[in-house]
Amino acid sequence: MQKRFENWKEFAMVYSQRGSPGSRRLLLLFLVLAAWEAGSGQVHYSVPEEAKHGTFVGRIAQDLGLELAELVPRLFRVESKGRGDLLEVNLQNGILFVNSRIDREELCGRSAECSIHLEVIVDRPLQVFLVEVEVKDINDNPPKFFRQEQRLFILESRIADSRFPLEGAFDMDIGANAELRYKLNPNEYFDLDVKTNEEETNFLELVLKKPLDREEIQEHHLLLIAIDGGKPELTGTVPIVINVLDANDNAPKFDKSIYNVRILENTPNGTLVIQLNASDADEGISKEIVYFFSNLVLDNVKSKFTINSNSGEITVKGGLDYEDLNLYEINIDAVDRSAFPLTGHCKVIVKLLDVNDNNPEIAITSLSLPVEEDAALGTVIALISVSDRDSGANGQVTCTLTPHVPFKLVSTFNNYYSLVLDSALDRESVAAYALVVTARDQGSPSLSASVSVSVEVGDVNDNAPVFAQPEYTVFVKENNPPGCHIFTVSARDADAQENALVSFSLVERRVGERVVSSYVSVHAESGKVYALQSLDHEELELLQFQVSARDAGFPPLGSNVTLQVFVLDENDSAPELLPSQAGGAGGALTGLVPRSVGAGHVVAKVRAVDADSGYNAWLSYELQPAAGGERSPFRVGLYTGEVSTTRALDEADASRQRLLVLVKDHGEPALMATATVLLSLVESSQALKASSRVSAGIVGAEAALVDVNVYLIIAICAVSSLLVLTLLLYTALRCSAPPTESACGPGKPTLVCSSAVGSWSYSQQRRQRVCAGEGPPKTDLMAFSPSPTPCPVSADVGEHQILNEDNFAKPRQPNPDWRYSASLRAGMHSSVHLEEAGILRAGPGGPDQQWPTVSSATPEPEAGEVSPPVGAGVNSNSWTFKYGPGNPKQSGPGELPDKFIIPGSPAIISIRQEPTNSQIDKSDFITFGKKEETKKKKKKKKGNKTQEKKEKGNSTTDNSDQ
């Protein structure tokens, strides 16, 4: 009991210890042979049969290159197909030993080779080794005879040298242990002759040495002894009883003593195998011959063949199978019909030829499922063994795999294949593969067998959750109930099971002074977004945040989506009157009106703001009719809030007029506020004195407001001063520079009316005046006057638009093409402080309501419906107004802003107007040029007294213009 691989090692170690050069060369040869045998992928051992339990076979773990410590964790196991538990492995020391009795004859019969094939399988990772244990035969079976006694009937008339066949013995062993020799106990009548045929089987004949005498001896008792070639020798015996008969002289004879026949294993029943013919030299009835199966023929042979006793034809009776038995020996007796019959003998040897009548067999010995989609190439998935019971080419099998998928078959050992991974897997593309393994032999025609293998791909967390779109826009009305559902986000993960379980969370960030989690929350499972509190459009117009989706895989993967929540405005703020109007008794707006004013004279202005936006902040003014149905001599501008006269006042009008102005927005439902205007009708001289006192009161109020907003005023003045200083410095540098030759000179300053700025005619005029390669002339002047006095027409103005009284008396509706702008909506308090501080003033009427930008697509307000103003009040941030031919800036109906623009510069200069003088004076214009500055200085030197007298004399006319 030795393993071949170990024999090489032991033999090499013995010779290496001797130390001679020859032994070293021999050692090198043995090491090469050992390495070659180890690399073949198989390990061979040998063990004698009938070995005791625990007999050492080999160090299988060491020979396979496995560590003893990893046998148990890697699930080391040994499987033997159909061999039970004959061999076992000790997992503590890795030794293969005999576990139960091994009987070679029971395992392999009389086969020349007998081996136990073991499959050694270890997992993590999966490895398979084929171990072959050869079972050595020992001489443990003595020769045996099929019958306990052989009886022969021999006529006394048989001559010497007559021969009589005997049944030989058989030995279950093989090789030298089954090589039998025979001997007969010594006697004077018979001798033994042994012949060997071409099939290497023994043919025994009993030879008559001298004639028998029945009268002398009727029965002869012999002992046939069979001796095998084993060591020690074993023997078997059978008694031979010979009955001497008194009859026939000639026995039937066959042409041959042995007949050899070859037939196919699939020969059908009734097919003729051979027809025997025996002859007898006797005459008469002694010449008639009958054929029988000899008593030596076994029952299994009689079940496969039959013989016709008269004709001697042997035919097939039962189904033949090469895989069960491929050689049949049939002993035939030919007996004559005499009273003392004589018998002739022969043997028919029938050898079956193999036919490809067995399909290959496929067995899946090990299957590791599922296969992770990130498994490495070459990973073993299954072990497949194929076999075919046929022999030769009919038993040679090849294995193929269909369809062409990311797997392949690799031949490991003889008729063993491994199903391995050939290319990368992706579970999201293909979750399972249906494979078909086909085994086909090389017979003609070839036979095949197939088996289906379903390979499931295991999921790996390699896909992050994906939102349908990267950004969502949500519109929510303000004043929503806390906890209401505003939106639902959803994300899809292409993975499976826990890798596809998506949970949502809010990405924390700050919105102003607060965190976004104080406004909204996200349900972790459903992705529903809830508003935690009531949203206010006036406080927060846009809430932008991110929602994160993360799966439950390891490691987890995630992605974010942006949500833009626009808070839509609702009409929840009523119009509010500006606090500056509460100057009269009981919070009413008071004023003095000279009786000499004519129709259209503005006597007061109601100012209101609305915290809402859009239509909800678009205010309109209505004058409630007086009690008694009397027609009031005053009216209010629908969108300006200016209270003006409808006709000339007379003595019949009451000296005290009480007007009730209703301020409404355009929301649904509309909200409103009421303002009271108290007017006193006085003579012109009283109105001048009262206006002086009112101016003094206004100056005191403005001083108080300046104290409150001193820091804001200082900042604004500093910026304005810096801007003016920069412009003056730039102008001085331009004037001091030497004149350059150009296509056109600087030209005279041009007075441009504010109503013409942005019009088509103004754009055409400026286009004609601009030189090639230069900007517009630096001396253009744009003036804005708070009064509705028409713009003066001069030769320089030319094609400028001339404003008449109808332009101011008739309100113009804003164009419907307006846009929202966050910068145009300002708070109410900041606008009030700026107005009362005198920074932005628009004459006696106070600051006007701002209007949205009108698109060039609809230059006329009559082209569409009336659109509301965007902002409420004056915006402290709206210091820049953009004008152009395609996008004219419109003021409210019947008013002009108290600002002017210096051409070529983005700055806007506001002019403070005194309420006592509403005419356009040259001092109200700012121009940049040496000529205009020189004129101003000369006017101041000539004398201010004459100018003051003229102004006092025209005060009455100014009041009427207001």
Side-chain angles (χ1 to χ4, degrees), residues 506-523:
L506 193 66
V507 179
E508 194 64 86
R509 60 178 290 266
R510 299 194 68 84
V511 180
E513 299 296 330
R514 304 172 60 180
V515 293
V516 70
S517 59
S518 63
Y519 289 98
V520 293
S521 67
V522 180
H523 192 270

Side-chain angles (χ1 to χ4, degrees), residues 727-738:
L727 293 176
L728 291 176
L729 181 60
Y730 175 75
T731 304
L733 293 176
R734 291 282 295 179
C735 294
S736 62

